[in-house]
Amino acid sequence: MRIRTLPLATACAVLFSSAAMAVGTAGSAAADSSRALQVKSSADVVVDGVHQRVFVSDPAGGKVVATTYGGTVVGTVASLPGVTDLELSADSGTLYAASPGADAIVAIDTTTVKEAARYATGANTDPKYLALAGGKLWFGYTSDIGSLDLSGAEPVITLAQDTQNTWSGAAPMLDAAGGVLVAGMPVQSPAELAVYDVTSGTATRTAHATVDGGNMGDLAVTPDGKQVVVASAAPYHHAVYKTSDLTADGAYASDAYPNAVDIAPGGAVAAGISGSYEPDVYVYKPGATTAVRTYDFPNTGQSSGSDLLQSASLAWAPDGSRLFAVSSNSEGVYSLRVLDDPTKAATNISVSAPAKATRAKKLTVTGKVRATVPLPAGAQLAVKRTDVESPGGRSLASVTVKADGSYSFTDTPPAGGKVTYTVSFAGDAAHAAGSGKDTVDVSRTATSLTLNNNGKVYSYGSDVKFTARLGKTYKNRTVEIWADPYGGDKPNKLVKKGTVSRGGYLSVTLDLKRDTKVTAKFAGDARSASKSVSSVAGARVRVSTSVSGHYKTKSAWGQKYHYVRKSKDPSFTTTMTYYKGRKQRLQIEAYYQGAWRDAGWEYFELGTSGKSEVTLTGTPTTNVRFRLRSSYIDRSSGDNVNSTTHGPWKYFIFTS
């Protein structure tokens, strides 16, 4: 039993000052999956394939969060003010994080997810971007490029590596492959790029150009170091440039506004945009002009558009099996999205069957397979028919896809009712599995089935008789009765199954201690339609309240009143049917100006014994009539297991 206090003086002040009290409730907000992240922002995402972890930098929160591939948080490294770019060592043992607010690069142990070292880059350098190349860790800082050399006994920081003073006003964005380091200016228009040869350990600029677009959000160098792909707010595609001379070398089509790009070790390109009404991510095979896959995020917030991809927040798993993205919704909730099989073309199969058909007569089903990479010639589709006689499905002859992707087949349904045809492709090295289905309403005689007691509410522990009645059917006369008590800890259970009586009746008596959904089911037969009907019967809780701390009781105003000295704090012990997490609602009213008026209420958690003791504290007003009751409020008391139940009022009055 837990003891809580409720300041009565506060409640009285609310009442007698005519102040208003308001109470609000908060709601809880495919092969691909998502998981909410406890971050305030996202600046970079890095994937560790060795430990199968995903690292997300949160500059607003000053931390790096590590999750599993499924999005479960396994560690957090804090005290990283403004942390932006992340870079993973070649052996996946160390994650480097740029912390401009600390003027430092921080090394994080990927096994323990703890800070291992901190390398100061110098006052007011504000390092933001990182890239490993030529045996050093390069970093873009205010108006220049620096390097961190960890090959010797002591770390060596070297600033001002760009001897040609390419950058001005902000830190250049970096990425690298082999000995090629590419830098770009993220805060200007038109965009500016530069390429450096860092094989010697110093940065020698080999190319520099102003390129189309501006407000660069991300860039990525291809694994062979020959191209750089740029995501700028404009133009509305992901531009490609040769690293040899920064001349244009094609583009990956996307939409407004490009803000992220990452390239898998195998060369696949993930191009992302900040778009509310278009696909958010486009996946291309190297050099392809048509996306092999697109992803359109759902809307998990309150705006009309979808969740938005965050800048520079796309990252491939090293084996290319997954693509990770961070998105945010209109409520400021960030999510890690895990996109499976991103390099396989999505296989979409349409199925078109007649809306209605006659049992035992032939019908025709048609459809089409659509994929960005056409299926190979002669590809076979599996066909399955599901009906009342084959609820688990029955395989039919497979069908061959024609050159234009279309297919058709005929079938004669042996049973009536809902008949579903499912057509599927198992997938292959270039295509993800896909399926489609359509349902035919095949003629069958309707069935009458009723069940009593719907909407009735009973006292706790009542024995309640539920009776189902089945009308005329073809052959099957079996009915099942299921009871599904509210609350996730008790399963939906078959409580009676049998052949109905001559009059069509089947009954069962239940000991009702929870709100319960009772369902009568008739499976149907070849000529009689299946039928299911439900009744929801409510069960109240047991609730009582006892009073202590009073010096006498007396009948007054038609009720039994408890008299309490104002120097004494009375206690009220509520006993209520227990359920995990359940709270009782304690409500106080005061008699004022000829009527009972609300003087405040609050929820108090029950102990495992089902008891809750509350002591009223404060300096109460004397000679004012009060009353108090404990209630279980469906849903608001922490669960929906029972029906709303109010306990009896307890009346009390304070005296000098």
Side-chain angles (χ1 to χ4, degrees), residues 468-652:
R469 185 179 185 187
L470 179 67
K472 183 179 179 180
T473 60
Y474 173 55
K475 286 184 178 180
N476 185 11
R477 299 297 291 167
T478 299
V479 168
E480 295 179 353
I481 300 179
W482 292 73
D484 189 5
Y486 280 33
D489 56 331
K490 290 186 179 294
N492 189 18
K493 184 178 180 181
L494 177 64
V495 293
K496 188 76 174 281
K497 179 179 180 179
T499 302
V500 297
S501 67
R502 188 171 182 178
Y505 296 99
L506 185 71
S507 299
V508 66
T509 299
L510 300 179
D511 180 18
L512 214 62
K513 294 182 177 179
R514 299 186 180 190
D515 293 355
T516 302
K517 180 180 180 181
V518 180
T519 304
K521 298 180 180 181
F522 171 66
D525 54 37
R527 299 182 187 179
S528 303
S530 62
K531 188 68 178 288
S532 175
V533 61
S534 297
S535 292
V536 176
R540 301 183 184 93
V541 300
R542 287 176 176 159
V543 56
S544 62
T545 305
S546 62
V547 186
S548 63
H550 56 287
Y551 66 90
K552 71 173 183 177
T553 59
K554 179 182 176 181
S555 293
W557 299 287
Q559 302 292 341
K560 177 183 176 181
Y561 272 80
H562 299 76
Y563 285 77
V564 184
R565 302 288 186 195
K566 70 175 185 178
S567 59
K568 179 72 173 180
D569 293 334
S571 294
F572 297 83
T573 300
T574 297
T575 303
M576 183 180 289
T577 307
Y578 177 73
Y579 185 79
K580 184 178 180 181
R582 177 167 290 178
K583 300 175 182 178
Q584 60 110 344
R585 183 181 190 263
L586 197 65
Q587 180 181 8
I588 300 175
E589 291 186 352
Y591 196 79
Y592 178 62
Q593 294 183 346
W596 287 105
R597 302 178 189 276
D598 183 25
W601 53 264
E602 190 169 336
Y603 284 89
F604 296 93
E605 188 173 353
L606 296 175
T608 55
S609 64
K611 292 184 182 295
S612 169
E613 182 177 339
V614 178
T615 300
L616 297 185
T617 63
T619 304
T621 303
T622 58
N623 300 316
V624 174
R625 293 154 58 187
F626 289 96
R627 66 179 184 179
L628 174 151
R629 72 176 177 183
S630 299
S631 302
Y632 166 83
I633 308 298
D634 189 8
R635 298 182 185 274
S636 295
S637 283
D639 62 80
N640 68 336
V641 170
N642 290 97
S643 296
T644 295
T645 310
H646 298 290
W649 289 104
K650 295 295 179 179
Y651 295 81
F652 60 100

Side-chain angles (χ1 to χ4, degrees), residues 8-43:
L8 182 63
T10 300
C12 291
V14 170
L15 173 70
F16 295 125
S17 67
S18 299
M21 290 179 63
V23 178
T25 57
S28 53
D32 306 326
S33 62
S34 68
R35 181 74 68 90
L37 286 170
Q38 296 302 311
V39 299
K40 300 177 181 179
S41 61
S42 173

Side-chain angles (χ1 to χ4, degrees), residues 66-322:
T67 77
T68 65
Y69 273 11
T72 300
V73 175
V74 295
T76 299
V77 180
S79 300
L80 304 174
V83 60
T84 49
D85 222 23
L86 305 174
E87 186 77 359
L88 187 67
S89 63
D91 62 1
S92 294
T94 303
L95 178 76
Y96 297 100
S99 177
D103 287 324
I105 296 169
V106 177
I108 298 170
D109 187 305
T110 54
T111 301
T112 63
V113 194
K114 295 184 183 299
E115 181 174 328
R118 185 170 289 225
Y119 307 104
T121 56
N124 302 317
T125 50
D126 297 334
K128 289 186 177 181
Y129 302 102
L130 303 174
L132 281 167
K136 293 183 179 181
L137 179 64
W138 300 86
F139 58 93
Y141 69 97
T142 302
S143 301
D144 216 319
I145 296 173
S147 66
L148 169 61
D149 188 353
L150 296 172
S151 62
E154 297 292 333
V156 177
I157 295 282
T158 305
L159 300 178
Q161 290 272 27
D162 180 25
T163 58
Q164 300 192 43
N165 299 317
T166 307
W167 313 106
S168 177
M173 186 179 294
L174 303 179
D175 195 33
V180 177
L181 177 69
V182 179
M185 182 54 66
V187 292
Q188 69 181 35
S189 182
E192 188 176 7
L193 293 172
V195 182
Y196 302 86
D197 181 351
V198 294
T199 53
S200 65
T202 59
T204 301
R205 197 180 80 179
T206 58
H208 172 248
T210 297
V211 296
D212 191 18
N215 297 316
M216 189 182 302
D218 203 4
L219 59 81
V221 180
T222 56
D224 61 8
K226 293 182 178 180
Q227 293 177 318
V228 58
V229 183
V230 177
S232 292
Y236 298 160
H237 60 250
H238 284 63
V240 182
Y241 300 94
K242 295 178 181 179
T243 57
S244 58
D245 57 7
L246 291 177
T247 57
D249 199 22
Y252 293 104
S254 51
D255 214 310
Y257 301 93
N259 68 342
V261 60
D262 197 41
I263 303 177
V269 176
I273 68 167
S274 177
S276 298
Y277 305 101
E278 306 81 23
D280 299 274
V281 180
Y282 304 74
V283 179
Y284 287 87
K285 294 294 183 68
T289 56
T290 301
V292 69
R293 196 79 175 264
T294 61
Y295 295 91
D296 195 0
F297 297 156
N299 179 7
T300 65
Q302 300 299 319
S303 65
S304 61
S306 69
D307 292 6
L308 295 176
L309 176 69
Q310 297 303 288
S311 291
S313 292
L314 280 175
W316 287 92
D319 63 0
S321 63
R322 297 173 179 87

